[in-house]
Amino acid sequence: MPKIVDHEQRRTAIVSTFLSLVEQRGLDGATSRALAAELGISNSLLWRYFSDMDALIERAYREVVAHTNARVAQSIDGRTGLAAAYALIDELFPVTTASKAEARVVVEYWGAKARNKNSYVEPHNCWRLKLVDFLTEASAAGEIPADAPVHTLANAVMGIVGNAQIEYAMSGDDHVALAARDLARSVVRLH
């Protein structure tokens, strides 16, 4: 009798292992051969679950967004206003082992989308909208000026986040990400 394989469970395991490899070895070290070896399967079997590396990276990207959302939810729990805005900002930058690996996957995903000329739908808008809400609360509480342009501030912060992810993925320089995080925290107080 043939072995019954849960294909979705196998895809999830592949993505999880891929993200672990990116954490340990960087994106260049997370090749299909390394991934197959880590999983104990043949390279050809890997491609029964994903059409190509871009498809794997897209699925990993979705996992990264889910992981980030979970961290954000935990970090902002019970916070409002400026404290919640800072907690959100802190979770978006590549400053921890996990978020550094995630930044590499995010940037590679953007590159895959650019190569394939597929339309890109930014899931980060949810973070921008949360930031607008927190900055609106901060304005109402007097933590930032009442006339602060909260939408513009949120857009500026998200631009800094995207730039920091790209710069980190390209350089691996922790200081760049930390400086960008501090800049984003400062931007919300500028007005």
Side-chain angles (χ1 to χ4, degrees):
M1 179 173 265
K3 183 178 177 182
I4 297 175
V5 176
D6 182 334
H7 294 283
E8 188 56 31
Q9 183 180 25
R10 178 61 72 124
R11 281 185 196 93
T12 300
I14 291 168
V15 168
S16 178
T17 303
F18 174 73
L19 290 172
S20 292
L21 280 175
V22 172
E23 267 185 57
Q24 296 165 16
R25 304 179 190 179
L27 201 54
D28 290 340
T31 64
S32 61
R33 290 187 194 278
L35 180 57
E38 190 75 19
L39 290 163
I41 61 174
S42 69
N43 205 27
S44 61
L45 183 59
L46 181 64
W47 303 124
R48 289 185 186 172
Y49 296 96
F50 294 96
S51 59
D52 57 20
M53 195 59 135
D54 285 348
L56 173 59
I57 289 170
E58 180 161 346
R59 176 69 180 263
Y61 175 77
R62 294 181 191 289
E63 289 293 318
V64 163
V65 171
H67 293 168
T68 304
N69 282 336
R71 283 196 318 271
V72 165
Q74 184 177 16
S75 183
I76 64 175
D77 187 37
R79 297 179 184 195
T80 60
L82 206 50
Y86 287 161
L88 173 61
I89 288 168
D90 290 352
E91 291 301 332
L92 297 180
F93 284 89
V95 295
T96 65
T97 302
S99 62
K100 289 174 185 180
E102 291 171 357
R104 289 183 179 114
V105 170
V106 165
V107 171
E108 184 64 23
Y109 170 76
W110 292 338
K113 285 299 183 184
R115 283 189 303 275
N116 292 335
K117 307 227 185 303
N118 293 333
S119 63
Y120 170 68
V121 179
E122 183 187 13
H124 301 116
N125 197 44
C126 66
W127 302 327
R128 180 180 287 110
L129 295 175
K130 283 182 191 223
L131 194 52
V132 166
D133 289 344
F134 298 146
L135 293 174
T136 301
E137 291 172 359
S139 178
E143 297 173 320
I144 61 175
D147 63 344
V150 295
H151 289 279
T152 301
L153 295 173
N155 287 337
V157 166
M158 293 310 298
I160 295 167
V161 168
N163 189 57
Q165 289 176 326
I166 292 167
E167 286 191 33
Y168 179 77
M170 291 174 61
S171 72
D173 186 348
D174 291 347
H175 300 292
V176 171
L178 291 168
R181 182 196 61 193
D182 293 345
L183 174 62
R185 282 174 146 250
S186 296
V187 162
V188 299
R189 294 188 310 261
L190 285 179
H191 185 71

